[in-house]
Amino acid sequence: MASVAAWLPFARAAAIGWVPLAKHPLPPPPFRISRPGVSPSSPSTSTTSATTTSIGERRCDEKIIINVSGRRFECWRSTLEKYPESLLGSNEKEFFYDEDTREFFFDRDPDVFRVILNFYRTGKLHYPRHECIAAYDEELAFFGILPDIIGDCCYEDYRDRKRENTERLIDDRLHEDDDKIQPKPLSSRESMWRAFENPNTSTMASVFYYVTGFFIAVSVIANVLDTVACGPDPETGYSRSCGERFSRQFFCLDTACVMIFTVEYFLRLYAAPDRLKFVRSVMSVIDVVAIMPYYISLFMPHKGEVSGAFVTLRVFRVFRIFKFSRHSQGLRVLGYTLKSCASELGFLLFSLTMAIIIFATVMYYAEKTVVSTKFTSIPAAFWYTIVTMTTLGYGDMVPKTWAGKLVGGVCSLSGVLVIALPVPVIVSNFSRIYHQSQRADKMKAQRKARQTRIRLARNATSNAFVAAKRRHEQHFDDSNASGDKNIVNPFESQHHHLLRCLELTTDREFVEMGPDMLMNSGGGASLAAGNSAMAGFTNFGSRSGRFLLHPRAWWCCKSRRRRKNSCKFNIERKNTNNANVSGDEIDAEIGDFQLPLTINPYNSSTLSPNIIIPPQEMPYQGNSTSSLQYNVVLHSNANEPLLPATNRFDLNLPLGTVNRTQLNRKANSLMAVYEHSSVNDTGKGESASKSDTYRARSPSSVSDSTFRRTTHVQIIDKDTHEAV
Amino acid sequence: MPKTSNTDYDDDGLETLKRYKPRSLDELASRTKFSKKEIQLIYQGFKQECPSGIVNEETFKHIYGQFFPFADTSSYARLVFATFDLRSSGCVTFEDFLICLSTLCRGSIEDRLRWIFTLYDTKKSGKITKDDFHVIVCAVYALLGNVASPCCDLETIREHTTTVFQRFDKSHQGYITMEDFMSFCLNDTNIIQSIDVLRTIV
């Protein structure tokens, strides 16, 4: 708008030309003409311009500061109000107004915003090519700008990218669905269908795949060799084909192949989820056509008069080669391409037909005068035009007159154009589809690993969150006890409170998961997504059922030796309880659950507040790679729903050996789980020297130190060793 | 000619672009119990997650899921969404959202209890049956995900459902009406207090 404003003096000056024509005296000018920004229309009537300036002066002239993630943009309010439907143009932006800084703050991508602001300035929306289409779309949606406004210079680009992206997303979604279906227990029919469609599923499937492939090859080769000449006939002296000489052998071979194909076809038909659809599919039709000739010839009388028809039927055997398309991805892609290019192919055919008819007609009349010409009729001239237009030029029909030669020349030239024009479209379609399928294959290979990685990362994040929550609670109790209130992020604390409420509602507790669990879980969130509540529930139930059925899933099984030990340990537990330092606590918590849990001294996470470590069960091992089993008492808050957390984390206890160990364990439990730093790597001496550092630390801060974990672990081992 | 294949994409690409612009800030502030500042904050967060200004069930589930690590939040989010989707049109605009939120956060205790009732009344039949309770308890347990301990199974959920239902269904008629529900909750100081605990400072 500013640029238009610069031209206003000119427009006003040129309006002098109206003065002699004016029917009424012109109204007085507005008082101040200091930057009369904008009137939306032309300054034709100074009245409107005057009113906008006097009344809306503040509005029109105001400069607006827009802060997008720290980058400040300034522009005229009038510039923004050009598009009242968009966020910035409407009063919707008031939702983002920060009174303190007097600016509009948006927590969005400033790079894309530059493009959007340019749209307000110039009225042209461009698509920055390096931006991800999804991010750009989201940004446009956020600011309420329709992508249709994108200028012609970028629109095609935008469309292409968008289409590509949509296809990709659909692709991915399909694959995700595949993955989701996979874990379901399949019936034999379903698994058979999967084996047919996807030879990689099992050995059986791939064996079947190669066997059928081999027989297709054999039958095609036999079909070809059938006609090769194999020496003269001893009776008549004429040369005869191999098919006649070895008719028995060929028949046997053919029978074997057809049997295999028939069995294959019926198996597929049986396994197909939708049989009617299968029967009508192209592949199935090819199958039928490939085996039909054999059966027809079997039931047809071998008589002279029908042998002609019989021979034509044999031609259909060549369709067996199409069965290979199941085995070749390229062929399938070609099929898809032809399907998707149907309109282009139709156009090709149509234009060719048109050209052929035109040229054949002209040729016929041009050559009509020539004696004993081969262009006897228009249909006869078709052959010439086709041969010429495809640039074959057999030369069996040649124009004799100069007019015929001229038309023939034009015909061959136009043939090149007509045929060549639609071909690139087909080619580009083919390459697109081919690349897509290639990509899908590659993705399929990578997806599993990628998903595991994603899941791991996501779970690690969640784990870190649970750890943060626990830490926060601990911290909160701490500050309650000591009386000082630390300032914590209100959002975080309220979020933690929310989860705490959930814990109390369901009488459960969030725990962090060990690495094994991390690998196994996480499908849960996506598993039941989109299901109804009841369906979601069955999922949920089955998931827990799995755990119940396999209690071992709770155990991070790392060492068999240890597991045996743990069994013994569980039995002994009752006896050792009261002898422990923390025996009193246990007495107070008789109603609690007791769960055998495996704790990995250095990377474990599955830890609940109260850990009782019977000293005699802590055999120190110089090399503590094996996991140790401890009994963990988990709280059930059934009787005391609002039990203050302080009871659980009693940090004010004197730092006895066991307590310290306990603390250490707690601290350890808060560590990130995916770090698998080996205890063995750090030397003994180092741990001894670090232990002093540790002792100087206050217990409440123990949990905050995540980077000292290796040291801590060492100390634990050391301490427990001492305890022993 | 290649254009023909593109048109389908063009169409479905444009169809998804629905956009909603809320009414003015002042109007919203007068209609709800939030201050302007709070509405600003809520709207900013709202826009951030759903740039188009409209929430559908999927987005809603996604947002809700972010607060619960490891969990399957879809069932609970679906139930909550149903209570927000007043016109049952499948999407919730910012105004709907804000008005419901205002009832939940700043409304009277009766308003909130009424909301709880509509949440529990999954079939919208006007009364809560044991099945409804079962659905809601399942949804809440599903929020835990598989990181909770002790692990919860079907039995626990059934038990929980039965206990809670029996507590409400004093006359053993097999269902709970709005009146029963309200009178029970209003007499239970524990519930009243706990509801208050879940206030949020924006």
Side-chain angles (χ1 to χ4, degrees):
Chain A
M1 235 357 154
S3 56
V4 180
W7 288 90
L8 190 63
F10 160 74
R12 285 180 70 87
I16 293 170
W18 312 341
V19 174
L21 312 172
K23 284 186 175 171
H24 302 284
L26 299 180
F31 288 107
R32 279 175 293 159
I33 321 175
S34 61
R35 226 178 287 143
V38 176
S39 50
S41 55
S42 63
S44 54
T45 50
S46 9
T47 25
T48 48
S49 130
T51 43
T52 40
T53 335
S54 53
I55 297 166
E57 186 181 24
R58 193 194 58 78
R59 281 169 56 86
C60 290
D61 283 351
E62 200 182 359
K63 251 194 215 168
I64 282 180
I65 302 169
I66 301 167
N67 184 341
V68 184
S69 318
R71 202 184 291 177
R72 280 157 56 97
F73 295 87
E74 286 188 32
C75 63
W76 300 107
R77 186 182 278 271
S78 60
T79 310
L80 297 180
E81 280 170 359
K82 273 203 292 188
Y83 299 100
E85 278 307 302
S86 60
L87 190 154
L88 288 173
S90 67
N91 57 7
E92 196 183 349
K93 64 175 175 293
E94 302 304 327
F95 286 100
F96 297 88
Y97 189 62
D98 189 344
E99 305 233 331
D100 303 333
T101 52
R102 298 179 161 276
E103 59 189 20
F104 294 92
F105 177 74
F106 294 97
D107 198 4
R108 308 297 295 190
D109 182 3
D111 286 337
V112 179
F113 185 73
R114 199 176 53 83
V115 178
I116 286 165
L117 193 60
N118 268 335
F119 163 66
Y120 282 98
R121 290 202 196 103
T122 62
K124 290 189 195 86
L125 187 61
H126 298 279
Y127 169 57
R129 249 135 266 204
H130 57 274
E131 284 307 331
C132 168
I133 183 81
Y136 183 67
D137 254 357
E138 198 172 305
E139 227 55 31
L140 286 188
F142 183 89
F143 288 104
I145 297 166
L146 287 176
D148 298 283
I149 311 174
I150 294 177
D152 290 342
C153 49
C154 303
Y155 192 71
E156 279 300 306
D157 231 25
Y158 172 81
R159 271 282 158 241
D160 286 352
R161 289 280 285 274
K162 177 129 187 160
R163 194 186 56 205
E164 215 174 281
N165 196 43
T166 329
E167 277 171 13
R168 198 171 302 170
L169 286 182
I170 289 169
D171 244 32
D172 287 357
R173 207 165 305 142
L174 286 180
H175 288 308
E176 263 168 42
D177 289 348
D178 279 357
D179 289 349
K180 252 179 233 169
I181 291 160
Q182 233 160 345
K184 256 200 323 194
L186 296 163
S187 72
S188 63
R189 210 178 119 191
E190 279 167 331
S191 56
M192 211 157 108
W193 180 247
R194 274 175 55 80
F196 280 133
E197 292 298 293
N198 205 343
N200 303 326
T201 44
S202 65
T203 3
M204 206 44 216
S206 55
V207 165
F208 185 81
Y209 176 82
Y210 287 114
V211 165
T212 50
F214 174 74
F215 275 99
I216 293 168
V218 164
S219 85
V220 168
I221 290 168
N223 203 14
V224 169
L225 289 181
D226 204 345
T227 57
V228 174
C230 262
D233 195 321
E235 290 166 24
T236 57
Y238 293 118
S239 70
R240 55 173 188 174
S241 65
C242 291
E244 281 161 20
R245 187 164 165 194
F246 305 107
S247 59
R248 218 184 157 73
Q249 287 87 333
F250 272 109
F251 180 74
C252 289
L253 200 63
D254 202 29
T255 310
C257 290
V258 167
M259 295 259 276
I260 297 242
F261 297 152
T262 314
V263 168
E264 184 205 351
Y265 180 74
F266 281 110
L267 280 181
R268 275 185 203 271
L269 186 64
Y270 165 73
D274 182 352
R275 289 188 183 132
L276 195 70
K277 205 175 137 201
F278 172 77
V279 168
R280 285 187 349 214
S281 73
V282 181
M283 288 314 296
S284 125
V285 169
I286 287 174
D287 281 349
V288 173
V289 169
I291 52 177
M292 260 346 226
Y294 174 83
Y295 288 108
I296 292 175
S297 69
L298 213 61
F299 296 116
M300 235 165 55
H302 254 286
K303 294 217 179 103
E305 65 264 30
V306 280
S307 69
F310 175 64
V311 168
T312 30
L313 263 178
R314 288 176 70 124
V315 171
F316 282 102
R317 290 202 301 191
V318 89
F319 276 104
R320 283 174 200 171
I321 205 159
F322 282 121
K323 280 165 76 72
F324 264 129
S325 56
R326 273 214 179 92
H327 294 248
S328 152
Q329 198 193 5
L331 262 180
R332 240 175 309 165
V333 171
L334 186 68
Y336 287 136
T337 314
L338 292 182
K339 217 191 223 168
S340 71
C341 298
S343 64
E344 284 85 1
L345 286 173
F347 169 67
L348 177 70
L349 214 67
F350 179 67
S351 55
L352 263 181
T353 318
M354 251 171 60
I356 286 167
I357 290 173
I358 291 168
F359 284 114
T361 315
V362 176
M363 277 313 277
Y364 169 70
Y365 286 113
E367 291 288 312
K368 209 179 171 189
T369 50
V370 179
V371 188
S372 74
T373 177
K374 285 188 175 161
F375 297 87
T376 48
S377 65
I378 293 178
F382 280 171
W383 173 247
Y384 169 79
T385 12
I386 291 170
V387 168
T388 312
M389 284 190 80
T390 52
T391 68
L392 272 170
Y394 289 126
D396 55 343
M397 285 168 92
V398 186
K400 294 276 175 11
T401 60
W402 64 267
K405 284 176 182 168
L406 189 72
V407 174
V410 174
C411 176
S412 72
L413 279 180
S414 68
V416 172
L417 292 179
V418 168
I419 291 180
L421 285 183
V423 166
V425 180
I426 296 167
V427 168
S428 75
N429 255 350
F430 177 80
S431 76
R432 189 168 57 86
I433 293 174
Y434 189 73
H435 280 154
Q436 230 167 48
S437 71
Q438 292 283 79
R439 201 183 64 87
D441 277 6
K442 220 182 282 170
M443 283 265 299
K444 208 184 260 175
Q446 293 167 353
R447 199 176 323 113
K448 204 143 201 176
R450 183 163 152 250
Q451 271 178 347
T452 322
R453 273 200 299 275
I454 291 174
R455 191 179 302 156
L456 209 62
R458 201 177 52 205
N459 286 351
T461 322
S462 307
N463 238 2
F465 177 77
V466 174
K469 173 177 164 293
R470 175 117 351 114
R471 188 160 62 226
H472 171 78
E473 274 169 14
Q474 201 171 351
H475 197 71
F476 187 66
D477 300 339
D478 232 24
S479 53
N480 263 359
S482 54
D484 70 319
K485 289 266 182 286
N486 285 335
I487 297 160
V488 281
N489 181 356
F491 169 76
E492 207 176 315
S493 60
Q494 289 184 57
H495 187 186
H496 290 151
H497 175 252
L498 172 69
L499 291 183
R500 186 87 198 99
C501 289
L502 179 63
E503 282 180 341
L504 291 172
T505 309
T506 55
D507 192 14
R508 294 290 184 279
E509 231 174 285
F510 284 115
V511 289
E512 293 153 76
M513 301 196 296
D516 291 10
M517 287 289 290
L518 280 179
M519 298 294 288
N520 295 335
S521 70
S526 63
L527 206 66
N531 285 354
S532 71
M534 286 313 280
F537 172 69
T538 32
N539 265 331
F540 178 65
S542 69
R543 199 157 67 227
S544 47
R546 206 174 64 222
F547 279 135
L548 290 179
L549 284 173
H550 305 282
R552 284 283 150 93
W554 278 94
W555 303 38
C556 310
C557 315
K558 277 224 168 169
S559 128
R560 284 204 182 126
R561 191 162 44 95
R562 277 288 134 201
R563 201 185 295 154
K564 269 186 218 146
N565 263 356
S566 85
C567 294
K568 192 175 68 191
F569 171 39
N570 288 337
I571 300 157
E572 284 171 3
R573 191 190 170 276
K574 283 286 167 224
N575 311 330
T576 54
N577 260 346
N578 295 326
N580 287 341
V581 185
S582 46
D584 310 358
E585 271 179 52
I586 291 164
D587 282 350
E589 293 164 0
I590 279 165
D592 287 345
F593 291 86
Q594 287 163 13
L595 252 184
L597 275 184
T598 309
I599 295 150
N600 244 335
Y602 34 90
N603 58 14
S604 115
S605 37
T606 340
L607 250 244
S608 275
N610 279 308
I611 300 145
I612 298 96
I613 303 148
Q616 66 266 47
E617 284 298 323
M618 285 285 297
Y620 175 74
Q621 300 194 330
N623 141 7
S624 55
T625 41
S626 60
S627 57
L628 303 170
Q629 300 275 346
Y630 304 112
N631 246 15
V632 176
V633 180
L634 295 167
H635 267 270
S636 119
N637 296 309
N639 303 325
E640 312 152 275
L642 284 167
L643 178 75
T646 352
N647 288 0
R648 298 182 295 123
F649 295 99
D650 202 349
L651 293 170
N652 297 327
L653 286 174
L655 274 181
T657 316
V658 173
N659 278 326
R660 200 187 314 130
T661 322
Q662 222 169 309
L663 265 179
N664 272 325
R665 290 285 171 206
K666 262 180 241 165
N668 205 14
S669 77
L670 302 169
M671 312 275 176
V673 272
Y674 42 84
E675 258 183 88
H676 286 272
S677 58
S678 162
V679 186
N680 299 328
D681 292 349
T682 44
K684 242 354 317 332
E686 194 192 339
S687 80
S689 68
K690 286 274 176 68
S691 66
D692 290 333
T693 339
Y694 162 65
R695 271 174 198 153
R697 301 173 74 85
S698 73
S700 61
S701 64
V702 167
S703 52
D704 293 325
S705 69
T706 44
F707 46 91
R708 285 186 187 276
R709 69 196 326 240
T710 344
T711 327
H712 286 180
V713 172
Q714 283 294 352
I715 294 157
I716 297 158
D717 291 336
K718 198 168 166 346
D719 286 342
T720 46
H721 186 41
E722 280 164 14
V724 173
Chain B
M1 274 294 157
K3 277 280 178 288
T4 45
S5 61
N6 281 4
T7 41
D8 340 349
Y9 293 115
D10 284 14
D11 288 339
D12 66 22
L14 296 178
E15 255 177 339
T16 53
L17 289 167
K18 263 189 283 175
R19 190 178 129 68
Y20 187 78
K21 203 165 48 125
R23 269 161 278 186
S24 74
L25 188 54
D26 300 285
E27 197 186 329
L28 283 178
S30 66
R31 281 181 61 187
T32 60
K33 298 189 177 71
F34 291 110
S35 72
K36 270 190 186 180
K37 187 88 194 148
E38 283 167 332
I39 295 177
Q40 276 187 336
L41 281 168
I42 295 171
Y43 189 67
Q44 283 167 23
F46 186 85
K47 253 311 231 195
Q48 208 72 12
E49 287 297 337
C50 18
S52 59
I54 300 172
V55 196
N56 55 21
E57 201 173 312
E58 278 310 306
T59 329
F60 194 79
K61 278 177 189 166
H62 174 73
I63 295 167
Y64 197 72
Q66 289 176 351
F67 291 104
F68 297 94
F70 296 112
D72 167 25
T73 51
S74 57
S75 9
Y76 194 74
R78 195 179 60 85
L79 293 169
V80 174
F81 185 82
T83 64
F84 274 64
D85 186 11
L86 302 172
R87 296 181 302 271
S88 50
S89 57
C91 51
V92 171
T93 63
F94 181 66
E95 269 124 26
D96 301 339
F97 179 75
L98 196 72
I99 287 163
C100 287
L101 202 63
S102 142
T103 328
L104 288 187
C105 293
R106 304 286 153 86
S108 65
I109 194 85
E110 283 85 6
D111 283 341
R112 289 191 222 184
L113 288 174
R114 217 165 283 138
W115 182 81
I116 298 174
F117 188 84
T118 48
L119 175 72
Y120 285 7
D121 183 14
T122 50
K123 292 193 212 63
K124 306 276 169 268
S125 57
K127 52 197 176 193
I128 313 174
T129 59
K130 199 168 169 182
D131 286 344
D132 292 329
F133 253 110
H134 191 70
V135 170
I136 204 91
V137 173
C138 288
V140 171
Y141 272 86
L143 287 181
L144 285 170
N146 43 9
V147 275
S149 79
C151 189
C152 34
D153 55 352
L154 219 88
E155 209 40 56
T156 330
I157 293 166
R158 234 174 246 148
E159 214 170 277
H160 196 144
T161 312
T162 317
T163 346
V164 176
F165 191 75
Q166 275 164 2
R167 214 166 68 201
F168 278 95
D169 187 20
K170 278 185 183 139
S171 49
H172 301 289
Q173 52 189 352
Y175 59 87
I176 307 160
T177 60
M178 176 81 98
E179 289 77 39
D180 297 340
F181 184 79
M182 297 288 273
S183 63
F184 178 85
C185 291
L186 288 171
N187 291 329
D188 191 332
T189 47
N190 211 342
I191 290 178
I192 305 281
Q193 272 170 9
S194 293
I195 285 179
D196 235 28
V197 156
L198 283 167
R199 267 181 201 288
T200 309
I201 310 155
V202 181

